Amino acid sequence: MKELLLEFLVCGLTAAFLMIVHELSKALIYKGIWHRKGKQRTDKKSIFAVYRYIDPIGIIFSITSSVTFSRPYMFRIRDKKTNRILGFAGLFVLLLCFAGSVAAIRFHAFGVEGMATLQGRGLFPKIASLFLQYLAILSFGMFAANLFPVSTFDMGMIIAGFSSGKYLNIIRMDAVIKIVLIITVLIGLIQYGGYRLILFLL
């Protein structure tokens, strides 16, 4: 029972960490682009208020379905290039988290032997082991979810960066796309694909 509770806790914390890394990296890039253009922003909320990126529904989905959703920083982007940069940057950060965690597991960082082990004596080695395992599966799940053309997801930003007309179309279809995404998550397709890919890479 204690180990199960520990897994739930570490899964939730790993999901929150991933949400923050994903959204904060895009927010920093956005600020950098804005600053390079010589413009000053007067945002009421700081991008470093990282608790704003944590989505409670995303935490629940992380624990139940291994798929994470974050609460995005609400950008006001007027040019297509910035949309493209931020969309691709979000996907790249998730791929980097996935590749790094899989590499760490492959090379037995903290004594991790695979995806179904809880290694080490003492609390810290067990937490480190679980963190790497959940970081691998959740980063894949978040990457796969962001490939869906939801208006606020990375793919939505990429579409906005190429075609305003197509972006308006996905906004109109937003409810339908989200229903398809939720069904895909609930039947476990993303979770299954993630585990299969990670086991293949290991």
Side-chain angles (χ1 to χ4, degrees), residues 29 45 184:
I29 292 170
K45 296 180 180 179
T184 304

Side-chain angles (χ1 to χ4, degrees), residues 8 11 57-67 185-186 191:
F8 286 162
C11 180
I57 303 299
I59 297 287
I60 293 170
F61 271 99
S62 300
I63 294 171
T64 59
S65 305
S66 299
V67 177
V185 170
L186 291 178
Q191 183 183 38

